[in-house]
Amino acid sequence: MITGKNLIGYSESAKGTNTFCAFSPLNLKELDEVFTETDKAEVELAFEKADAAFKEYRLWSGSRKSSFLNKITEHLESNRKHITARAVLETGLTEARLNNEMNRTINQIKMFAALVLEGSWVEASIDRAVPDRPGTPKPDIRKMLRPLGPVVVFGASNFPLAFSVAGGDTTSALAAGNPVLVKAHPSHPGTSELVARTILAAARESDAPEGVFSMLVGKGFDSGQMMVKNPHAKAVAFTGSLAGGKALYDLAQQREEPIPVFAEMGSLNPIFVMRDKQESETSAIAGMIASSVNMGAGQFCTKPGLVIMEETPKSNDFVDYLRNEFSSMENQVMLNEGISSRYNESINYLANYSNVEILYSAKDGEKLRGRPVIAVASAQDFISNPSLQYEVFGPYTLVVRCSNKNEMKEIASSLAGQLSVTFFAGDREMADNCDLVNLLEDKTGRLIFNEVPTGLEVCSSTQHGGPFPATTDSRFTSVGTGAIKRFVRPVAYQNWPDNLLPAELRDDNPLSIWRLDDNQWHM
Amino acid sequence: MITGKNLIGYSESAKGTNTFCAFSPLNLKELDEVFTETDKAEVELAFEKADAAFKEYRLWSGSRKSSFLNKITEHLESNRKHITARAVLETGLTEARLNNEMNRTINQIKMFAALVLEGSWVEASIDRAVPDRPGTPKPDIRKMLRPLGPVVVFGASNFPLAFSVAGGDTTSALAAGNPVLVKAHPSHPGTSELVARTILAAARESDAPEGVFSMLVGKGFDSGQMMVKNPHAKAVAFTGSLAGGKALYDLAQQREEPIPVFAEMGSLNPIFVMRDKQESETSAIAGMIASSVNMGAGQFCTKPGLVIMEETPKSNDFVDYLRNEFSSMENQVMLNEGISSRYNESINYLANYSNVEILYSAKDGEKLRGRPVIAVASAQDFISNPSLQYEVFGPYTLVVRCSNKNEMKEIASSLAGQLSVTFFAGDREMADNCDLVNLLEDKTGRLIFNEVPTGLEVCSSTQHGGPFPATTDSRFTSVGTGAIKRFVRPVAYQNWPDNLLPAELRDDNPLSIWRLDDNQWHM
């Protein structure tokens, strides 16, 4: 059931005066349900409930949080068809893709459930007292990670499940022991409500305190800004554009108490195609790149938007293969009108840009359908035109032809921070290009060898982040188990009575977790 | 030899037009040496050298960095007398205290040298490929912490050795693989230069690239601001006042590329004295608190500036003991004129403040000598006057008398973020006051039981940090091995050739470090 209301703790509320409907990029028409934007009092109520809930929820054991998270997956599973059907309507993504995304969402939640059940993630560290140390006695000090407080999560348009209401941000924040307040994305408000209800159902069944989760509805910027400004908010997670993420970041830094903002704002994900591999696997690499660019209409933050190729006698072949691959791709539904129109504007700008040659552009078809486009530029033109470093969100990539290694290094030096950097190269060739690799390692959170950047693996070793402007905080990841570290801080207990310590720090290690104990790792 | 020049990489430079001399709070006169403030071109040169050095230094092995750090301790040790003698003159701290601080400084450096030599601190994580995973193959992904880039360190006035040029900030940043640019504190510029020369000597002997370390001189705000604004700067560490730290934080957030600022800005370090302990150990606790407040003229960020006591029939005795202890304390030299005059202003303000009663105030004596002062207020007066939460840096504390537990909880709720919160209580009493403890755990980075907050232990479990305004980033510590985590970010390597991986991530684990390997801890 979709009511269009704000879900504030266990209550529903629609006191605001602004309403809107979802728009289906698939049918190109408004959907029936009416959503009511949150008002100021509702935002404040949601935070008061979250703050009250935090006092209890922060003390929940890993096993209790784990059970709560697993219950969410049960409700997602039993509402899977209903949710994905609505998501198809609201996002235009295919049912197959959304089913996969639901799998990923459920697997992510289970991953965090397992992480907090196992318990070692808290980085427990124990230094035992040495009362007879010469000079001054050493006190007993123990330290572990503790939750920050209410976390604001902004749903992402391009991952209506895996990076929205019950996505990685919400799940990692809940797993850490923080209440979550989601700002539903106005492109898929119905999907958001359906998913929010699964979290609330799981919360009720787990006897979670009211306010551990709320979802607020808003189309414009006001609701999100009110959420970031609320003094009870202790952290913000966002996936979206540079403009949107930076605006929230600035707002959060201007608060009386600045708070961390984890904004993942996109990337060019440059691919460096070196000579040997380009010559030996010309068509295969062109095919992989074209598929990666066009997957999901190019609406991934990991889409490669830049292909930097070393000029070889076979480079024209490689470019031809790329063009041919692009010409075989179909126009695909884009997520919403804003994304579609910004994509068209960017392509029109590039088509009229003297230093860029459009290699191939599919015909513009039905409204809200993204057409595959590939362009080419010289290294010098790329370097001298910083606007070519702006991310074009959609099925577009720019090929930059470098006449020598120095130009590749110049480009590497000129690049801003990136989520990923990929090399297609031979083993020996990579070893011979350490300088280039080292330059680029300093610009990115993930280095990839002979694979495409899309299709990010969600695991303990995942790093999805990178230097600004890829994200606002390169020291953290928004994907993988490491994402939980965004929403915690260490607390030390000095000379603390053993029976009052959190279980993770007690002498007898009742949870059998890995701990650094007098500088040695022990379980 | 003290030249008064800026040490820019391996060169000396004094091109600026502004000069100043150090002022000795001990002798109340200016010292001879003339220091030349850095100019814009010198700042830029230092950062260009740091940026160039980073390209090499970031790749140094743990063992090579360890050897460099240990060499610094050798030079500090062989220049110990010279350095501490100058520091006595510039800070007015006693030789005994400065010798202890030198020991701490050397031990801190050795601690980081051992940490990076052992190597497990990089949080290496390996997920191995599963090519035949049903659905999609799992790629090989490996992750570890890598340095951020040039770090700006502001020397602290109250720790001329342990938190200045070769202090915990510099050492942890160097240990992580970052070049460091120190802004010398104008209160002890000669000490700073002497210490900087030990780092540069060690750098030369270690064949470190020029620019791995620079020290810039400045009396006003300009030089520090230029350093924070420089685009090559990737992080800032600061210990000092709220006003100073917050100004640097804001400046860093307003850059085109915002960078992390770790500002430790002080704290009230409240001590809660509960009924049982107050009655059973009245004089002992009063003595411990009075000593802790007056140690080093109260010029520690861990000084308890607030004593919240539960009213008992013996409370007047406890207050009398405190007063007596304070009346036996002597006026002590303060660090500089600014600190001394701000202390006197605060005391005068409080003396004229109707809601605070000065219990004892030593007579104002010689210039720049801090007089012990203790005041008392009611719980309601404290709660209704937020200005009583401002830190008074010096040998002063405020006792707040609470007529019941609710008032204690009200105070706990009203408190801003703190570096530490201490309880003097019986074991059973602590268990009975979980509500109060939980409220306070959310406000601090360190909870202490029946010990004073001064005398911070430097070890793996140390947490020296806390929610704003104690620091600008509660998720990190500025003391202990954890301090190294401020200056790194994770980088993932996907499908990366084994021979090109950092040693920490190679299949055969050549460094024998602890790693998370397919979600299991292994050495």
Side-chain angles (χ1 to χ4, degrees), chain B residues 133-315:
Chain B
R133 183 174 63 178
T136 47
K138 181 178 179 180
D140 184 288
I141 305 186
R142 298 164 190 235
K143 176 166 82 161
M144 65 176 281
L145 298 174
R146 288 299 222 170
L148 289 180
V151 173
V152 176
V153 171
F154 285 81
S157 63
N158 61 339
F159 277 101
L161 305 174
F163 271 84
S164 281
V165 180
D169 291 332
T170 296
T171 313
S172 55
L174 286 175
N178 304 289
V180 170
L181 300 100
V182 168
K183 162 70 174 59
H185 198 286
S187 278
H188 51 263
T191 310
S192 297
E193 182 176 340
L194 294 174
V195 173
R197 290 186 181 279
T198 68
I199 299 177
L200 289 166
R204 276 183 196 275
E205 287 168 20
S206 308
D207 289 323
E210 180 173 18
V212 75
F213 179 82
S214 289
M215 190 197 75
L216 300 173
V217 175
K219 188 161 187 175
F221 300 119
D222 285 2
S223 48
Q225 289 181 350
M226 284 191 284
M227 292 169 79
V228 172
K229 282 186 192 168
N230 190 286
H232 292 302
K234 295 300 170 190
V236 177
F238 169 89
T239 302
S241 69
L242 176 57
K246 186 59 165 53
L248 291 178
Y249 181 83
D250 290 342
L251 198 63
Q253 302 323 309
Q254 288 153 14
R255 290 165 42 119
E256 192 179 323
E257 176 193 356
I259 53 174
V261 173
F262 304 96
E264 192 267 83
M265 306 179 291
S267 169
L268 293 177
N269 302 297
I271 295 181
F272 287 75
V273 184
M274 312 302 287
R275 171 185 294 258
D276 290 358
K277 209 69 174 179
Q278 195 188 134
E279 294 193 337
S280 63
E281 296 178 35
T282 324
S283 70
I285 292 173
M288 286 166 77
I289 292 174
S291 299
S292 181
V293 172
N294 283 278
M295 195 164 82
Q299 299 169 121
F300 289 108
C301 44
T302 53
K303 180 210 76 172
L306 186 60
V307 179
I308 296 139
M309 55 183 285
E310 196 177 355
E311 201 67 29
T312 84
K314 280 183 136 188
S315 284

Side-chain angles (χ1 to χ4, degrees), chain A residues 68-88:
Chain A
F68 168 33
L69 292 174
N70 279 324
K71 277 195 212 304
I72 299 173
T73 68
E74 290 165 21
H75 286 279
L76 283 173
E77 198 58 84
S78 57
N79 289 280
R80 174 192 281 264
K81 278 199 179 155
H82 196 32
I83 294 169
T84 52
R86 177 74 190 189
V88 167

Side-chain angles (χ1 to χ4, degrees), chain A residues 173-244:
Chain A
L174 285 175
N178 305 288
V180 170
L181 300 100
V182 168
K183 162 70 174 58
H185 198 286
S187 277
H188 51 264
T191 310
S192 297
E193 182 176 341
L194 294 175
V195 173
R197 289 185 181 281
T198 68
I199 300 177
L200 288 167
R204 275 182 197 275
E205 286 168 21
S206 308
D207 289 323
E210 179 172 18
V212 76
F213 179 82
S214 290
M215 190 198 76
L216 300 173
V217 175
K219 188 162 188 177
F221 300 119
D222 285 2
S223 48
Q225 289 181 347
M226 284 191 284
M227 291 169 81
V228 172
K229 282 185 191 169
N230 189 286
H232 292 303
K234 295 299 169 191
V236 177
F238 169 90
T239 301
S241 69
L242 176 58

Side-chain angles (χ1 to χ4, degrees), chain B residues 246-393:
Chain B
K246 186 59 165 53
L248 291 178
Y249 181 83
D250 290 342
L251 198 63
Q253 302 323 309
Q254 288 153 14
R255 290 165 42 119
E256 192 179 323
E257 176 193 356
I259 53 174
V261 173
F262 304 96
E264 192 267 83
M265 306 179 291
S267 169
L268 293 177
N269 302 297
I271 295 181
F272 287 75
V273 184
M274 312 302 287
R275 171 185 294 258
D276 290 358
K277 209 69 174 179
Q278 195 188 134
E279 294 193 337
S280 63
E281 296 178 35
T282 324
S283 70
I285 292 173
M288 286 166 77
I289 292 174
S291 299
S292 181
V293 172
N294 283 278
M295 195 164 82
Q299 299 169 121
F300 289 108
C301 44
T302 53
K303 180 210 76 172
L306 186 60
V307 179
I308 296 139
M309 55 183 285
E310 196 177 355
E311 201 67 29
T312 84
K314 280 183 136 188
S315 284
N316 287 337
D317 293 354
F318 180 68
V319 172
D320 283 344
Y321 275 115
L322 277 172
R323 180 181 15 221
N324 287 340
E325 291 284 349
F326 267 74
S327 68
S328 73
M329 300 287 170
E330 295 195 350
N331 292 12
Q332 290 175 78
V333 184
M334 297 197 87
L335 289 160
N336 61 43
E337 283 190 292
I339 286 175
S340 170
S341 63
R342 278 192 295 277
Y343 181 66
N344 286 326
E345 280 163 25
S346 298
I347 297 300
N348 291 340
Y349 170 82
L350 290 161
N352 293 314
Y353 200 77
S354 58
N355 297 315
V356 168
E357 179 200 344
I358 302 288
L359 265 180
Y360 172 81
S361 172
K363 279 194 186 127
D364 204 3
E366 204 182 348
K367 210 180 152 205
L368 261 75
R369 267 57 184 166
R371 54 191 158 130
V373 177
I374 184 166
V376 67
S378 73
Q380 289 314 317
D381 280 337
F382 179 78
I383 292 163
S384 56
N385 292 293
S387 70
L388 295 181
Q389 285 207 33
Y390 295 146
E391 183 185 13
V392 177
F393 197 71

Side-chain angles (χ1 to χ4, degrees), chain A residues 58 125 127 133 249 253 262 441 444-447 449 451 457 460-461 475 489 492-495 519, chain B residues 58 125 127 133 249 253 262 441 444-447 449 451 457 460-461 489 492-495 519:
Chain A
R58 64 192 286 283
S125 174
D127 274 86
R133 183 173 62 177
Y249 181 82
Q253 304 322 309
F262 305 96
E441 189 186 73
T444 188
R446 182 165 58 121
L447 288 166
F449 184 61
E451 291 179 353
E457 179 70 21
S460 298
S461 306
R475 295 164 301 159
R489 64 183 179 89
Y493 303 79
Q494 181 173 334
N495 192 35
N519 290 312
Chain B
R58 63 191 285 282
S125 174
D127 274 86
R133 183 174 63 178
Y249 181 83
Q253 302 323 309
F262 304 96
E441 189 186 73
T444 188
R446 182 166 58 121
L447 288 165
F449 184 61
E451 290 179 352
E457 179 70 20
S460 298
S461 306
R489 63 184 180 88
Y493 302 80
Q494 183 173 332
N495 193 36
N519 290 312

Side-chain angles (χ1 to χ4, degrees), chain A residues 423-442:
Chain A
F423 295 87
F424 279 102
D427 283 15
R428 177 126 167 230
E429 201 175 21
M430 275 297 275
D432 291 343
N433 283 287
C434 279
D435 278 10
L436 180 64
V437 175
N438 286 333
L439 264 178
L440 288 160
E441 189 186 73
D442 196 33

